[in-house]
């Protein structure tokens, strides 16, 4: 059986480490070592529970010290990428090779989820401090619901 172009599983694991480090750098936290340790743990054992714990650590660090701004959409992108890559890395051994086609086939779903997630991030940024204007919140949530409906509908057709 012939395989197409492939990448070593080690590349995916190192990508997890890089994504966690990049998230820490984006957050600008002085405890960057925490992000790198979390990245090293999930690179070594990308189990879903550990991935969620690492992402939770990053989000917690953002919630404690971060301000809403350009960091939020970047953090959404990095954490989602870590989750998607971690799922693939967890399914293969250290010595495995992953066909590029497998990674490429995951791109449309990733982009669709990112569209919704980035919409939610933009909504959070737009509504920051908008609680006194309830119609704005209702309208924004309705617009996000429509975006979710369209994206999910397109995903089901593919």
């Amino acid at each position: 059986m012939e395989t197409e172009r492939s990448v070593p599983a080690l590349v995916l694991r190192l990508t997890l480490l890089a994504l966690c480090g990049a998230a820490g750098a984006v957050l600008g936290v002085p405890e960057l070592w925490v992000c790198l340790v979390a990245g090293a743990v999930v690179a070594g054992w990308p189990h879903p529970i550990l991935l969620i714990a690492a992402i939770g650590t990053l989000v917690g660090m953002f919630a404690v010290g971060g301000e809403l701004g350009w960091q939020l959409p970047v953090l959404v992108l990095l954490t989602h990428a870590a989750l998607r890559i971690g799922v693939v890395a967890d399914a293969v051994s250290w010595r495995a090779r992953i066909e590029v086609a497998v990674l490429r086939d995951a791109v449309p779903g990733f982009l669709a989820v990112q569209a919704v997630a980035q919409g939610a991030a933009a909504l959070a940024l737009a509504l920051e401090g908008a609680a006194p204007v309830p119609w704005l919140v209702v309208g924004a949530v309705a617009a996000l619901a429509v975006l979710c409906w369209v994206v999910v509908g397109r995903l089901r057709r593919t």
Side-chain angles (χ1 to χ4, degrees):
M1 181 161 104
E2 291 287 320
T3 59
E4 294 185 22
R5 290 184 309 163
S6 61
V7 295
L10 181 61
V11 169
L12 295 181
R13 293 171 185 265
L14 291 175
T15 301
L16 288 172
L17 175 62
L19 288 169
C20 288
V26 164
L27 293 174
V29 294
E31 299 85 12
L32 184 60
W33 66 271
V34 173
C35 298
L36 293 174
V37 167
V41 168
V42 296
W45 190 31
H47 190 273
I49 298 298
L50 292 176
L51 282 165
I52 291 169
I55 299 305
T57 301
L58 295 173
V59 171
M61 292 173 82
F62 179 72
V64 169
E67 295 180 19
L68 291 178
W70 65 270
Q71 296 93 339
L72 181 61
V74 174
L75 187 60
V76 167
L77 175 69
L78 293 174
T79 56
H80 182 217
L83 289 171
R84 291 296 292 252
I85 291 170
V87 167
V88 175
D90 186 46
V92 298
S93 73
W94 278 83
R95 295 176 301 193
R97 296 190 63 83
I98 297 94
E99 286 189 23
V100 173
V102 170
L103 301 173
R104 187 177 43 240
D105 288 346
V107 171
F110 177 82
L111 292 176
V113 171
Q114 267 305 297
V116 173
Q118 293 298 336
L123 180 62
L125 291 171
L127 295 179
E128 186 180 16
V133 190
W135 61 267
L136 180 62
V137 174
V138 170
V141 171
L144 184 60
V146 169
L147 176 65
C148 289
W149 185 270
V150 169
V151 169
V152 169
R154 288 184 184 255
L155 280 177
R156 286 187 178 167
R157 283 185 245 142
T158 59

